[in-house]
Amino acid sequence: MYAVIDTETTGLLPSHRHRVIEIAVVLLDARGQVEHEWVTLLNPQRDMGPQHIHGILTADVLAAPEFGDVARQLGELLAGRLVVGHNVEFDLGFLRAEFARLGFSVPLITERSMCTMALAGYLYPGAKRTLGACCAAAGITLEGWHSALADTRATAELFADYLHAFPSPPPWQWAYEEVRRIPWPALPGTTVAPTVRPVHAGGRHGWMSRLVDQLPRVPEPPQADSYLVLLDTILANREITAADADQLVQVATDLGLTRPQVEELHRYYVSELAAVSWRDGEITSAQRSDLDRVAVMLGRRVVDVDDALLRASAGRYVVPDRPGARGFPRGSMLVFTGDMVDPREIWWDRAVAAGFVPQEAVRPDTTFVVAADVDSLSVKARMARELGIPIISAEDFRRLLPADERPAESSV
């Protein structure tokens, strides 16, 4: 009756030619009992994307089948079944795109599928967002996180647990009756031996991954959790690259989120991330550095982290006394870009007085860029994004300077 799925991909956007590199399917009967499992790596015929997230190396997929090789097998597994996933629209979007590349339209319909992330919020209003958090709340062990098979097994077990909360037949029986009658096209492919990921691939660990599992849901706007769960995934390994940030912008656009909505989600996200980090009553300098990096990459300020930690600790957190601009130590190299009210020479002198080393051009050793417009398309700004270098506004730079070096607000 059910086909539980999970994919690992080379990025967040099938519209940007990102590809599926691993797919797993667990078939369940009407009671949630496992009937069959299937998993394989896929050769995407392109770079592997965020390997820090999925842990799959190019060498792992060189001998793996391409999607076209397994299309028929996959179609036979999915046909006539109600598809289930955690944030299922993400996986369905990629599978629809993969079949479309082969010239086929398949009946993988979001409105005729089940999402365990949505079910968790419906059944348990206080439930968190991530698969790890939902599994922990249900007492389900999640091993090998970001392995498609491990995630699919956990999602299947979670869904089976949720089934017990509904009568038989469940309220979505009508959707199943529809999809089981929809014919699938005759797909290409043969019966090929699956390629299973090596032991080294995948896995999640570390402090930041535990934090994102504790972040609360965001009920409004309705697309918020679909966006934030992807941000959770990116941050689980303490990484958010410039490419990740660009993809998130496009994801937000595809979801219909406005820029003010995204900015508010980022503000809330940084605040909550800082709040859950204080639950043990302390935070190390390395952990604080992680929080600062996340904040800057999401367009927030280091002082926003200070404020959140002060709120979470009821004033007990001691804000570190940083030389120079808070969050960027003396000796940090910076570049200015864009036209500001005060001449560039004045900003240059302020930076030097605060202990920084201004540069004329962005280089790999540049620490951060100060821009008149953080969305600038200047050569310097584009280079900074390519290198993963934070870009902050002139206003933020003014606020972060030592008090005796700050210009008046009107001169920004």
Side-chain angles (χ1 to χ4, degrees):
M1 180 172 180
Y2 303 106
V4 187
I5 64 171
D6 186 70
T7 61
E8 298 299 328
T9 65
T10 63
L12 303 179
L13 300 163
S15 61
H16 284 206
R17 302 182 65 82
H18 294 154
R19 303 295 302 275
V20 176
I21 53 175
E22 188 179 29
I23 181 167
V25 181
V26 174
L27 302 183
L28 303 178
D29 65 17
R31 298 170 299 164
Q33 298 297 308
V34 175
E35 297 179 318
H36 180 66
E37 290 184 347
W38 180 82
V39 63
T40 188
L41 291 171
L42 296 170
N43 188 330
Q45 295 295 313
R46 57 151 289 166
D47 69 273
M48 300 301 291
Q51 291 170 304
H52 63 278
I53 295 177
H54 54 64
I56 301 172
L57 306 180
T58 302
D60 300 332
V61 303
L62 291 178
E66 296 182 31
F67 188 85
D69 299 326
V70 304
R72 190 178 73 186
Q73 283 177 281
L74 181 59
E76 290 171 350
L77 291 168
L78 301 181
R81 289 181 179 262
L82 196 63
V83 175
V84 180
H86 198 80
N87 192 27
V88 70
E89 168 57 12
F90 178 84
D91 301 296
L92 290 179
F94 267 93
L95 292 182
R96 287 192 293 259
E98 291 288 357
F99 282 113
R101 286 189 180 93
L102 301 176
F104 295 92
S105 176
V106 295
L108 292 173
I109 307 166
T110 302
E111 293 76 19
R112 301 296 182 272
S113 64
M114 299 301 298
C115 179
T116 50
M117 183 174 73
L119 274 177
Y122 173 77
L123 291 172
Y124 309 105
K128 302 299 190 293
R129 183 173 48 239
T130 66
L131 177 59
C134 291
C135 286
I140 295 169
T141 300
L142 177 54
E143 298 179 351
W145 190 86
H146 277 312
S147 151
L149 183 56
D151 284 2
T152 308
R153 284 172 172 166
T155 303
E157 191 174 351
L158 189 65
F159 181 70
D161 183 70
Y162 290 168
L163 272 175
H164 298 154
F166 295 93
S168 182
W172 53 82
Q173 183 73 21
W174 64 271
Y176 167 68
E177 296 298 337
E178 282 191 16
V179 299
R180 76 184 184 91
R181 294 188 179 94
I182 301 176
W184 277 59
L187 296 166
T190 58
T191 300
V192 298
T195 299
V196 181
R197 66 161 63 198
V199 174
H200 71 77
R204 172 176 70 163
H205 60 279
W207 175 74
M208 187 65 73
S209 66
R210 293 192 294 274
L211 287 190
V212 298
D213 276 349
Q214 300 176 55
L215 296 177
R217 289 173 176 269
V218 180
E220 294 294 337
Q223 317 96 306
D225 278 333
S226 294
Y227 174 76
L228 293 177
V229 74
L230 298 179
L231 183 54
D232 293 336
T233 300
I234 290 172
L235 289 181
N237 283 25
R238 297 168 48 201
E239 294 284 346
I240 178 169
T241 67
D244 292 331
D246 288 343
Q247 288 181 48
L248 283 168
V249 170
Q250 187 59 53
V251 166
T253 301
D254 291 348
L255 288 171
L257 292 168
T258 65
R259 179 169 174 174
Q261 286 175 324
V262 172
E263 289 176 349
E264 176 59 20
L265 287 175
H266 286 181
R267 183 202 64 76
Y268 180 78
Y269 195 94
V270 169
S271 177
E272 289 299 317
L273 200 61
V276 298
S277 73
W278 183 257
R279 287 184 180 171
D280 293 333
E282 61 180 1
I283 181 171
T284 68
S285 58
Q287 292 167 346
R288 176 60 205 261
S289 178
D290 285 346
L291 290 175
D292 291 348
R293 183 169 181 233
V294 170
V296 172
M297 289 301 294
L298 292 180
R300 309 305 302 172
R301 300 171 299 165
V302 174
V303 292
D304 293 329
V305 182
D306 287 340
D307 293 342
L309 287 170
L310 286 169
R311 286 194 301 272
S313 66
R316 288 179 290 132
Y317 176 71
V318 178
V319 176
D321 182 18
R322 307 180 187 92
R326 299 171 72 184
F328 298 109
R330 286 182 178 274
S332 294
M333 299 182 184
L334 66 90
V335 171
F336 294 104
T337 185
D339 293 329
M340 304 170 195
V341 175
D342 287 343
R344 181 69 53 82
E345 294 77 11
I346 292 179
W347 282 102
W348 189 286
D349 290 343
R350 288 169 183 155
V352 171
F356 298 113
V357 181
Q359 300 171 312
E360 291 288 355
V362 175
R363 306 192 306 243
D365 61 353
T366 302
T367 309
F368 64 105
V369 170
V370 180
D373 178 359
V374 294
D375 295 318
S376 171
L377 296 178
S378 71
V379 172
K380 292 176 181 178
R382 292 201 304 270
M383 180 62 70
R385 294 188 186 100
E386 289 176 8
L387 295 174
I389 296 168
I391 301 175
I392 68 173
S393 69
E395 171 66 15
D396 280 347
F397 184 62
R398 181 193 67 79
R399 291 176 179 171
L400 299 177
L401 286 172
D404 57 350
E405 297 293 341
R406 294 180 189 174
E409 299 223 10
S410 60
S411 65
V412 172

